[in-house]
Amino acid sequence: MSYISAALCSASIQSDPHQFTELQDVVFVIQSQRNSYHSHRAEQRRTELLHQARILNQNSPDVVLLHELSDYDGNWSILPALPRLASQYCQTSSWIVFLEEETDVNLPILTQVLSKFNTRKEWFLGRPLHDDEPTIIHHYAFSEDPKSFTYPDFMAGWALSCLLVMRSDFISQLSHEFALYIWEEGMGRALTAVKEFCSERHNSSSTGDCATIINTHSDTCGTPVQKEDIFVAVKTCQRFHGDRVPLVKQTWEKDVASLEYYSDVTDPIIPTIHLGVPNTERGHCAKTFAILRRFANGAVTQAPWLLIVDDDTLISLPRLQRLLGCFDPDEAVSVGERYGYGLSGGGYSYITGGGGMVFSRVMVQNILAGGCGCRSADAPDDMVLGMCLNTLGLTVTHCPLFHQARPDGYVKELLARQRPISFHKHWNINPVEVYQGWLTEPNLTRPQALTNTRAEL
């Protein structure tokens, strides 16, 4: 039985008739993205919700695609979008329910669940997650007891009462940070756990009481791109020629058709290429823009895709090939793990460099034609590129399969849903074991582990 069919079978479920939530009391916000592939998926989710409402003979709810709410690209961080959601929808609705592209909804059960909560109070509802240990991606918050603070599993869906939304003077960021903001150091609302917001997958046999389930993200959209379609640029320096570069060669380099190592010296053994840019301890903006220019001039490669990684990035090229089959290389595409800076004040989004930055050739041409550049050689390259794209009116595309940190920095349950594309940093791990355990395909021969490798930040 399909999930929508199950929803119709449960349509007879009723709660207290004096406070029963109708679909017209709910605004659904799909956390969509502007890229054509993702906007199409979000539109499919909206169509499914409206179709289910029609079958239930109920008035259609408002279904908002987040990227269409306004021209501001920072709405993905939710908090900047709340004032507009409050003014446009909360005058006539009681709830805002947030969904991702992968979130399937059982509308009858969802309305039953929402009916349990008095809308004259402030509510922050969802399926709780917590960190098992302090993590850098959450700025080591609650370092003494990370399990004491919970935040919503976005993919399972989550909800805010309009009373909470309408008091918003909200600022920026996502998931863990969003929960921190609403919590207001203990003075605001903590997340209320709702068991009907479920993490079960759509093909699970235990979804009968779930208001939401997860239609796991597929990284296949037809034919994967050929390995020859991806040119790989590895940023390194002489300091790491003896430890990090051998790890790249032993693990994922074997899956690459075209790759160059860019360093501060020319080493014919590796080999490396010196772009005339001195090494910097951080930032590497000048080096990255030199790579973009080298790729764009077409002398080295005509590949439609450019991947820029650090020498301590671990990545699966076969999985990246499948992912890029989802995107049109004739569009200006930048994809990776998205962060944001200053989004409450008209800031910008950017792809984190450590997890890998992927650009279509069209995007690289747009960046260079737009006159973007570095204020200093050691400016943070990923953030400078984010500012550039924001200035040019171009967007970045988030993919949760890229990771700026090591596997221990993420909730294990979330990683278990994925076939990750990348991780970053060699600190306090065996990089080969991480590559073998997380990034290789089951039917592929795995490399033998290196011995006496150095763990570097």
Side-chain angles (χ1 to χ4, degrees):
M1 180 182 293
S2 71
Y3 195 61
I4 290 181
S5 298
L8 301 181
C9 290
S10 61
S12 61
I13 297 174
Q14 296 291 324
S15 292
D16 182 350
H18 298 293
Q19 63 170 27
F20 186 71
T21 299
E22 302 283 350
L23 281 180
Q24 63 191 26
D25 299 325
V26 183
V27 177
F28 292 94
V29 177
I30 300 172
Q31 294 172 231
S32 57
Q33 302 190 67
R34 295 187 190 279
N35 176 271
S36 62
Y37 163 65
H38 284 288
S39 62
H40 175 69
R41 294 188 69 208
E43 190 61 58
Q44 288 178 315
R45 174 65 57 222
R46 174 159 60 185
T47 299
E48 290 168 4
L49 287 168
L50 297 177
H51 175 67
Q52 193 179 156
R54 285 194 298 271
I55 295 176
L56 293 170
N57 293 317
Q58 293 200 31
N59 292 330
S60 295
D62 287 311
V63 183
V64 179
L65 302 191
L66 191 58
H67 78 276
E68 294 180 346
L69 187 64
S70 74
D71 291 334
Y72 181 46
D73 200 40
N75 282 336
W76 65 267
S77 64
I78 305 301
L79 294 172
L82 291 182
R84 184 179 290 267
L85 290 171
S87 63
Q88 289 188 204
Y89 298 101
C90 280
Q91 305 301 321
T92 56
S93 300
S94 301
W95 293 98
I96 297 182
V97 174
F98 294 85
L99 310 171
E100 292 200 346
E101 296 168 5
E102 297 84 11
T103 313
D104 282 337
V105 183
N106 183 314
L107 291 180
I109 294 181
L110 178 64
T111 53
Q112 178 196 23
V113 169
L114 295 178
S115 297
K116 299 176 183 178
F117 298 92
N118 188 338
T119 55
R120 291 188 293 274
K121 296 183 179 181
E122 296 181 352
W123 293 107
F124 176 28
L125 310 178
R127 181 177 181 276
L129 299 172
H130 62 75
D131 294 335
D132 290 322
E133 59 185 56
T135 172
I136 189 173
I137 66 170
H138 294 153
H139 316 295
Y140 299 106
F142 300 92
S143 58
E144 294 183 359
D145 184 13
K147 295 181 181 180
S148 67
F149 183 76
T150 60
Y151 51 96
D153 181 349
F154 273 14
M155 199 175 289
W158 54 290
L160 298 174
S161 63
C162 269
L163 189 65
L164 177 59
V165 175
M166 292 180 72
R167 74 160 178 84
S168 64
D169 53 352
F170 293 116
I171 44 176
S172 69
Q173 293 193 6
L174 202 58
S175 190
H176 187 277
E177 290 77 9
F178 182 89
L180 274 176
Y181 189 84
I182 289 183
W183 181 65
E184 292 183 312
E185 297 185 350
M187 301 300 291
R189 293 297 305 180
L191 179 68
T192 298
V194 176
K195 64 180 179 60
E196 290 88 356
F197 286 94
C198 299
S199 64
E200 281 78 2
R201 294 181 173 87
H202 71 285
N203 56 357
S204 172
S205 60
S206 58
T207 60
D209 295 327
C210 291
T212 62
I213 59 172
I214 296 171
N215 192 340
T216 307
H217 180 276
S218 172
D219 59 1
T220 302
C221 304
T223 304
V225 303
Q226 298 296 309
K227 63 169 61 178
E228 292 79 12
D229 291 334
I230 305 173
F231 179 76
V232 182
V234 182
K235 295 182 296 180
T236 189
C237 65
Q238 186 177 19
R239 176 185 173 191
F240 299 125
H241 287 187
D243 45 22
R244 293 186 182 179
V245 170
L247 284 167
V248 174
K249 289 180 173 294
Q250 188 184 7
T251 54
W252 56 267
E253 190 200 77
K254 67 186 186 306
D255 294 319
V256 179
S258 182
L259 175 148
E260 289 185 338
Y261 292 92
Y262 299 106
S263 184
D264 53 341
V265 297
T266 299
D267 183 338
I269 303 300
I270 292 176
T272 64
I273 294 171
H274 183 21
L275 294 170
V277 177
N279 189 55
T280 55
E281 289 297 316
R282 56 181 60 86
H284 312 299
C285 187
K287 180 183 287 187
T288 295
F289 270 83
I291 291 170
L292 295 177
R293 290 190 291 270
R294 183 173 174 84
F295 175 80
N297 69 26
V300 177
T301 177
Q302 292 293 326
W305 296 103
L306 169 66
L307 166 65
I308 301 178
V309 295
D310 294 344
D311 53 10
D312 58 348
T313 301
L314 299 168
I315 192 162
S316 168
L317 269 296
R319 293 178 187 176
L320 179 60
Q321 289 172 239
R322 291 195 291 270
L323 175 72
L324 292 182
C326 302
F327 299 103
D328 184 352
D330 293 328
E331 293 182 7
V333 178
S334 172
V335 63
E337 183 176 25
R338 178 182 55 192
Y339 279 19
Y341 180 79
L343 295 179
S344 62
Y348 57 90
S349 306
Y350 63 97
I351 297 301
T352 59
M357 301 183 291
V358 181
F359 304 95
S360 65
R361 181 172 290 276
V362 174
M363 177 63 89
V364 173
Q365 292 167 343
N366 274 270
I367 291 170
L368 298 177
C372 298
C374 306
R375 64 178 183 273
S376 63
D378 65 348
D381 53 354
D382 49 6
M383 298 181 77
V384 169
L385 286 168
M387 286 187 282
C388 169
L389 298 185
N390 183 64
T391 300
L392 298 177
L394 300 169
T395 189
V396 301
T397 299
H398 174 63
C399 177
L401 306 179
F402 294 81
H403 301 91
Q404 171 72 5
R406 301 165 296 142
D408 287 348
Y410 299 88
V411 177
K412 293 181 178 61
E413 177 185 332
L414 299 185
L415 290 183
R417 299 175 191 165
Q418 301 181 348
R419 300 178 72 191
I421 286 177
S422 70
F423 292 104
H424 182 225
K425 298 290 189 186
H426 291 176
W427 174 67
N428 204 30
I429 63 169
N430 182 318
V432 176
E433 288 183 358
V434 169
Y435 175 76
Q436 291 175 345
W438 287 99
L439 299 171
T440 58
E441 304 298 298
N443 60 339
L444 294 181
T445 302
R446 294 177 173 180
Q448 297 298 312
L450 285 177
T451 59
N452 300 321
T453 57
R454 257 174 52 197
E456 298 283 356
L457 285 172

